[in-house]
Amino acid sequence: VGTVNAFRGGGTRNVAAYELYLQTQTPVWTAAALEKKMHLLQQAVAIDPGYAAAWSLLGRLTLSTAWDARPEQVQAIVDRGVPFVLRGVQLDPDSASAETALAVARHARFDWVGAEQSYVRAIELLKDRYHVALYASMLMRSGRTEYSLTQYAEASRLEALGGRPPGQSWHAHLAQGRLARAAEISDWQSPVDRIENNLDIAFNAPDPEVLKAAIRAIPESDVAYNGLYRTVLEEFDSPVRILAMLRDIYRDKELQWIRKHHDLAMVAAYFGDPQFALKIKGEEVRANVLRISSLWYPIMSDARRLPEFKQLAADVNLVEYWRTHGWADACRPLADGDFECR
């Protein structure tokens, strides 16, 4: 166990395969960079088919591409990535990297309890920034955002990276209403990510001018700007018109972009239709667990009070997880076995 977990990417005697693995260890996560990393890992496992860490990372990165996929594309991504993960576990069940990849795969399949078990075991095998931060992100998506922040802080303590905070931690701060801190962490992201993150942060800001400014920051070449946000700006003081437009865009199958469900849900919640916001967001979340974070934002509080939210939480197996490992910050159990959220 000590050898394979002594350093990241251990478990091969082939220098060429290991060097290919090392080339994937960069902080850049653009779509092009991700594609390059997966290609490098495919080369590594071709050279050394017994290289568990490379198989595991290939599986994890494949699963991560679901972030930039439309809901109907996600299942195919999961089906493609899981065999790589299982190959890594089969080759070396005592590898922390393999166990973490298994946690990611379980999470992608809405097995929160299994993912928790795998993350805890992976951290027991190798407690470093990489494994702890991934665990923290799962905690954040489960709604246990305060606890997730303690884990993000632990990840930073283990490996400071010049003060760079774990990228996904801004979601947890936003869920806690710490908009300024969320914006600080967003500033570390790529320009494209910053625009999207700052838009989400602005939806939760009390000043409407903040949201208008965030919308104006979207490039006019962006499909979302031209299909949705330009009209939101034009009709900002007419919520009824905006909400009617949302339904037209929702039904328009020709008008598509990656964040369509998310953007429509945020706009619906902001302009006073939590029911429609939850309907749209629920469709996205039932397909893609990576997109669940925004359900914990302050702007979604009215949606979380709806009976449909309780059904959504049950459908994606969160209630089972909460009863086993702890409730979301915004939810609490009731005496009759029911629960409520705020």
Side-chain angles (χ1 to χ4, degrees), residues 283-300:
E283 290 178 4
E284 183 182 47
V285 167
R286 285 181 172 91
N288 189 350
V289 70
L290 294 180
R291 290 290 184 180
I292 199 171
S293 310
S294 58
L295 280 174
W296 307 114
Y297 295 170
I299 195 176
M300 295 298 286

Side-chain angles (χ1 to χ4, degrees), residues 194-253:
R194 276 202 303 274
I195 290 172
E196 294 182 347
N197 298 351
N198 290 342
L199 183 60
D200 282 356
I201 294 167
F203 272 117
N204 293 274
D207 184 353
E209 294 304 318
V210 174
L211 178 56
K212 291 178 184 178
I215 292 174
R216 293 189 185 104
I218 305 172
E220 292 190 9
S221 58
D222 194 294
V223 175
Y225 181 84
N226 286 285
L228 171 64
Y229 285 115
R230 182 194 296 273
T231 305
V232 169
L233 277 179
E234 293 170 352
E235 303 286 356
F236 204 90
D237 296 323
S238 304
V240 173
R241 292 181 185 175
I242 289 175
L243 292 173
M245 173 198 65
L246 291 184
R247 284 165 169 76
D248 290 339
I249 294 175
Y250 171 71
R251 290 189 292 264
D252 188 346
K253 303 303 180 185

Side-chain angles (χ1 to χ4, degrees), residues 8-313:
R8 201 169 298 166
T12 182
R13 295 178 180 274
N14 189 294
V15 174
Y18 180 60
E19 288 179 343
L20 287 165
Y21 183 96
L22 287 180
Q23 291 180 54
T24 69
Q25 302 300 291
T26 67
V28 181
W29 293 100
T30 63
L34 189 56
E35 189 67 32
K36 181 179 180 181
K37 290 179 182 186
M38 290 189 292
H39 180 66
L40 291 167
L41 292 166
Q42 288 165 349
Q43 291 179 279
V45 297
I47 294 171
D48 182 0
Y51 192 3
W55 281 112
S56 298
L57 185 55
L58 178 58
R60 190 181 83 73
L61 295 186
T62 299
L63 292 170
S64 75
T65 63
W67 178 254
D68 287 320
R70 295 199 300 271
E72 68 272 15
Q73 299 171 322
V74 174
Q75 189 57 55
I77 292 171
V78 173
D79 291 343
R80 186 164 64 250
V82 167
F84 299 147
V85 170
L86 296 180
R87 179 64 175 151
V89 174
Q90 179 187 41
L91 286 167
D92 198 334
D94 289 325
S95 162
S97 296
E99 193 67 38
T100 291
L102 181 60
V104 172
R106 285 173 162 169
H107 187 208
R109 289 177 162 178
F110 299 96
D111 179 7
W112 300 84
V113 173
E116 172 86 17
Q117 293 170 348
S118 286
Y119 274 125
V120 169
R121 181 168 186 265
I123 292 168
E124 288 173 349
L125 291 167
L126 178 59
K127 187 175 183 179
D128 65 2
R129 177 181 174 118
Y130 173 78
H131 297 102
V132 174
L134 282 173
Y135 175 48
S137 292
M138 189 207 77
L139 292 170
M140 173 268 294
R141 294 187 184 104
S142 77
R144 299 172 69 194
T145 53
E146 194 64 49
Y147 182 45
S148 78
L149 287 172
T150 69
Q151 296 303 302
Y152 281 126
E154 177 67 4
S156 295
R157 186 191 67 78
L158 290 166
E159 190 176 344
L161 292 185
R164 184 186 184 99
Q168 294 298 307
S169 61
W170 73 270
H171 289 287
H173 285 286
L174 181 52
Q176 291 289 327
R178 301 165 189 159
L179 277 63
R181 181 55 178 155
E184 287 176 9
I185 297 171
S186 176
D187 285 342
W188 288 87
Q189 311 298 310
S190 71
V192 173
D193 287 340
R194 276 202 303 274
I195 290 172
E196 294 182 347
N197 298 351
N198 290 342
L199 183 60
D200 282 356
I201 294 167
F203 272 117
N204 293 274
D207 184 353
E209 294 304 318
V210 174
L211 178 56
K212 291 178 184 178
I215 292 174
R216 293 189 185 104
I218 305 172
E220 292 190 9
S221 58
D222 194 294
V223 175
Y225 181 84
N226 286 285
L228 171 64
Y229 285 115
R230 182 194 296 273
T231 305
V232 169
L233 277 179
E234 293 170 352
E235 303 286 356
F236 204 90
D237 296 323
S238 304
V240 173
R241 292 181 185 175
I242 289 175
L243 292 173
M245 173 198 65
L246 291 184
R247 284 165 169 76
D248 290 339
I249 294 175
Y250 171 71
R251 290 189 292 264
D252 188 346
K253 303 303 180 185
E254 299 300 316
L255 182 57
Q256 297 289 341
W257 66 93
I258 298 301
R259 283 170 42 114
K260 179 177 179 177
H261 281 71
H262 174 82
D263 287 326
L264 292 176
M266 292 294 99
V267 174
Y270 187 87
F271 287 98
D273 193 342
Q275 196 100 32
F276 190 51
L278 185 60
K279 169 183 166 58
I280 303 169
K281 193 65 189 178
E283 290 178 4
E284 183 182 47
V285 167
R286 285 181 172 91
N288 189 350
V289 70
L290 294 180
R291 290 290 184 180
I292 199 171
S293 310
S294 58
L295 280 174
W296 307 114
Y297 295 170
I299 195 176
M300 295 298 286
S301 61
D302 287 342
R304 291 194 297 269
R305 292 184 174 93
L306 296 172
E308 292 88 344
F309 181 80
K310 292 197 287 187
Q311 185 60 55
L312 174 60

